[in-house]
Amino acid sequence: MERSEILKKLWAEQDEAFELMTEYDSLPHHYGEDVLYQAEAYIVHEIGNQPGITTTEIAEKQKKTTSACSQLVKKLIAKGLVEQTRNAENKRIYNLTLTKDGQRVYKDHIHFNEMCQQITFELLSEFTEEELAIHTKVQKAINSAYRGDVERSKEYYSKK
């Protein structure tokens, strides 16, 4: 098979991976009685990993706007999973923690992710460490191309 055909197949596989990840992220996930979308679960995960974190810090970690994260935090507060307390040193800052139910969702989310990861790792068990290292190197190059596409798009559309 020619190199150009292999690269086109790789491109098609990347497109399928993107579609599957997009679909996965759009699905509601059930954690006991609680139903969260991935964006909400990511917020719970960040707060569980770092109690007292602020919405701004979450936004920086997740490379999202503070406004988008703030909206998700408000939803999680309304669901009784997150609580915010005013920072004692700076009254303009709110620190976030998980409620008892939030802790349960956090643990369930970790468990589910670990299960998914284990299944994936088992599917990849047929590959050697060298093959996996090569794939990782290829994926990094593809990610670099995607970053470039994003930057060029931002630059191009900011001029219009």
Side-chain angles (χ1 to χ4, degrees), residues 116-132:
C116 290
Q117 211 174 50
Q118 186 59 40
I119 291 168
T120 301
F121 292 170
E122 287 171 13
L123 289 170
L124 297 174
S125 66
E126 69 181 85
F127 298 99
T128 66
E129 286 77 12
E130 182 181 359
E131 289 170 322
L132 293 170

Side-chain angles (χ1 to χ4, degrees), residues 53-138:
I53 193 169
T54 66
T55 302
T56 301
E57 292 168 331
I58 292 171
E60 289 170 2
K61 284 184 166 200
Q62 294 190 357
K63 298 177 182 165
K64 298 192 184 299
T65 66
T66 301
S67 175
C69 287
S70 180
Q71 290 174 16
L72 290 169
V73 166
K74 285 177 185 175
K75 287 180 182 180
L76 293 167
I77 290 170
K79 289 181 179 189
L81 302 175
V82 171
E83 51 192 14
Q84 63 181 7
T85 54
R86 197 176 292 268
N87 185 293
E89 295 170 15
N90 184 339
K91 300 291 184 194
R92 294 180 295 177
I93 296 174
Y94 288 92
N95 298 102
L96 306 170
T97 54
L98 297 177
T99 63
K100 184 178 176 183
D101 286 340
Q103 285 286 342
R104 181 186 41 75
V105 168
Y106 171 69
K107 289 175 185 170
D108 287 350
H109 182 254
I110 288 173
H111 175 73
F112 185 75
N113 277 351
E114 287 172 350
M115 180 185 69
C116 290
Q117 211 174 50
Q118 186 59 40
I119 291 168
T120 301
F121 292 170
E122 287 171 13
L123 289 170
L124 297 174
S125 66
E126 69 181 85
F127 298 99
T128 66
E129 286 77 12
E130 182 181 359
E131 289 170 322
L132 293 170
I134 289 169
H135 177 78
T136 301
K137 185 176 179 180
V138 169

